[in-house]
Amino acid sequence: MPEEHLGQRTDVFVTSFCQFPGTDPLEIHEVVRGELGEPNLAVLPQLVDRGVGADAVGRSATLLADLGFDLQPHGWRVGVNDGIDARRARSILRSDENLLADVLGAEQKPAQRIKLSVLGPWSLMASVYLSNGERSISDHGARRDIIAAYAHGVREHVARLARATTLRSFTVQLDESLIGDVLDGTIKTSSGYRTLRSIPGSEVRSAYQEFLKVLTDESSNFSVQPVVNLPTADERWIERIDLLNQAGITAMIVDPHGLNHRKWERIAGFVEGAGQIFLQVLTPRLSAPGVVEAVHSILRPWHQLGLSDAQLGSLTLMPRGDFSACSSSEAVDTLQKLSTYAQALEQTRVDA
C-alpha cells in the first residue's frame, strides 16, 4: 500500500467538494491543480452545468457495472437497455477520465493522490427506479444486485484512472444525504402518496460491508480510502456514524455548524480510534474569518474534548459546500484561505 495513503499521514491538508461551475473542465483543472496540488488532496472536477448525465445521480448510475439505465420523466431508471441520456453520461465520465490523464501527464512531478465523489450506495438506490417505475430501494433483490454492481463499477472507475495515470492513492467521497431517510422509512414511493418501509440497520450495515470489501480490495497497486458525507444536522447522526463505522468507514466529512457536544464527543472517539475528519470550515462567497479566528474556532472544541495538537493530522480542511455557484476566482480565493488555515494548524501540530 502506498505511503501516501490518507490513513497514514500526519499533516494538515486541504481538499474540496468536486462540484465546480461552468462547462469547461480544463479551466477547472487549472484551478484544482493550482490550488490543491500535492501535498494537498486534489479532486476530479464535476461540472453539473453540462446538463443531463453530469448530474450526481446520472454520473453515479454510470458506475453500475453491467447494468443499463435510461432517463424517464420521473428520474433515472436502472436494469434496462442504455438510453441516449445514459450514453451521454458514460461519454462525459470517460471524457473526464481521459482529460485527467492528459492533465496529470503534463505535470513535471507525478501526482499520487486524488479525491473522487459519487453518491453513497444507499442514496443512489433511493434515487433511481426499476423498470416497473418504483424506486429500486423497494425491492430486496434489486438492492442486493445494485450494491454489488455499484461496488464493482466504482472500483473499475478507480482502476481505469490508476492504469492511465501515476495516481496510486484514491479517496472516494460517498455522499449519503438520503441514508437517514432510508433507515427511518421516509422515502416516498414513485406515486408520492405513501412512504417505503424502512430498511433495517443490519441490512444497511452488511450491504456497506460488502460494498467496502470490493472497493478497498488491497490486491491491486493502488489504495482506496472511503470517506462518508452525512448531513451533520441529522438528529440521529451519531447512530448513522456508528452504523457506518461498524461497517468499516474510517473517515467522515463534518460540518461544525451542525454539531452539539454529544456529536463532538463522538468525533473525538473517532479521532482517537485513528479515524480521519474532513472538516468544513469556510463557506464560499462569504466573508472569511482571519487566520487567528479560524484556527481558534477549530482548536477550541478540539482541546475541550481532550484532543492534542499532535492529533491535528487527523484533519483535512474543506469548504462548507461546493463551488457550483461560484466563479473560478471565488473558488481560488476560498482554497487559498483554507491553505493558510491549514498551514497555521500544521505549525501548531509541529510545535506540539
Side-chain angles (χ1 to χ4, degrees):
M1 188 175 295
E3 292 181 0
E4 295 84 355
H5 191 285
L6 183 62
Q8 296 176 336
R9 65 156 177 90
T10 57
D11 301 327
V12 181
F13 295 142
V14 173
T15 190
S16 78
F17 285 93
C18 297
Q19 292 74 27
F20 286 82
T23 58
D24 182 358
L26 184 57
E27 175 187 349
I28 300 303
H29 271 293
E30 293 176 357
V31 173
V32 169
R33 303 310 303 175
E35 303 304 326
L36 291 176
E38 296 185 28
N40 288 319
L41 182 56
V43 300
L44 176 61
Q46 297 180 14
L47 282 64
V48 297
D49 291 344
R50 288 180 291 182
V52 174
D55 60 289
V57 179
R59 190 177 183 91
S60 296
T62 302
L63 300 174
L64 290 167
D66 301 322
L67 281 180
F69 65 110
D70 65 7
L71 184 61
Q72 296 295 311
H74 55 276
W76 292 98
R77 182 178 63 165
V78 301
V80 297
N81 292 329
D82 275 3
I84 186 172
D85 297 306
R87 292 192 291 272
R88 185 173 189 275
R90 295 188 193 279
S91 176
I92 290 173
L93 180 64
R94 291 304 178 93
S95 176
D96 285 350
E97 292 173 349
N98 293 335
L99 180 58
L100 177 65
D102 291 341
V103 168
L104 297 185
E107 294 184 347
Q108 292 184 346
K109 183 178 180 181
Q112 293 290 309
R113 307 165 60 230
I114 201 166
K115 182 162 76 72
L116 316 174
S117 178
V118 298
L119 289 183
W122 287 98
S123 291
L124 176 62
M125 285 191 289
S127 301
V128 297
Y129 297 80
L130 301 174
S131 58
N132 64 7
E134 192 49 86
R135 292 184 188 272
S136 65
I137 203 170
S138 65
D139 184 273
H140 182 272
R143 296 197 297 269
R144 182 188 61 244
D145 293 344
I146 288 174
I147 283 283
Y150 196 39
H152 287 282
V154 175
R155 177 74 182 186
E156 181 54 32
H157 173 43
V158 172
R160 287 195 300 268
L161 292 175
R163 289 193 295 268
T165 69
T166 56
L167 297 169
R168 291 298 175 264
S169 182
F170 295 84
T171 300
V172 177
Q173 177 178 322
L174 303 169
D175 291 319
E176 284 285 18
S177 61
L178 297 179
I179 195 170
D181 295 304
V182 169
L183 289 162
D184 294 342
T186 55
I187 298 291
K188 290 187 178 297
T189 60
S190 58
S191 68
Y193 292 117
R194 61 184 181 87
T195 57
L196 297 171
R197 287 184 298 179
S198 62
I199 306 298
S202 58
E203 181 183 341
V204 171
R205 181 175 56 250
S206 62
Y208 241 99
Q209 288 172 330
E210 292 302 312
F211 179 83
L212 295 177
K213 181 179 179 181
V214 173
L215 187 60
T216 62
D217 176 25
E218 297 182 358
S219 63
S220 301
N221 65 340
F222 58 86
S223 64
V224 178
Q225 169 74 61
V227 52
V228 71
N229 181 26
L230 302 179
T232 313
D234 184 345
E235 292 182 359
R236 301 178 68 181
W237 179 82
I238 294 176
E239 294 178 36
R240 325 296 193 200
I241 286 296
D242 286 345
L243 184 150
L244 295 179
N245 191 202
Q246 292 163 11
I249 288 290
T250 59
M252 60 182 175
I253 294 174
V254 173
D255 181 356
H257 283 181
L259 297 180
N260 54 28
H261 186 69
R262 286 188 64 246
K263 291 177 181 178
W264 269 115
E265 287 183 330
R266 182 63 187 91
I267 290 171
F270 202 75
V271 171
E272 290 170 346
Q276 295 287 329
I277 304 297
F278 288 64
L279 194 67
Q280 299 173 268
V281 297
L282 181 60
T283 304
R285 307 184 73 179
L286 295 185
S287 178
V291 176
V292 174
E293 180 184 352
V295 169
H296 182 66
S297 70
I298 296 170
L299 292 180
R300 183 175 60 253
W302 195 260
H303 291 158
Q304 287 174 345
L305 292 167
L307 296 172
S308 69
D309 290 341
Q311 292 172 295
L312 287 170
S314 299
L315 290 179
T316 295
L317 303 188
M318 293 182 64
R320 181 174 289 108
D322 60 48
F323 293 124
S324 57
C326 297
S327 65
S328 295
S329 61
E330 288 170 332
V332 168
D333 182 63
T334 299
L335 292 174
Q336 288 178 344
K337 287 184 171 62
L338 282 174
S339 293
T340 303
Y341 300 164
Q343 290 166 10
L345 285 169
E346 173 60 13
Q347 188 58 52
T348 299
R349 187 193 67 81
V350 171
D351 293 340

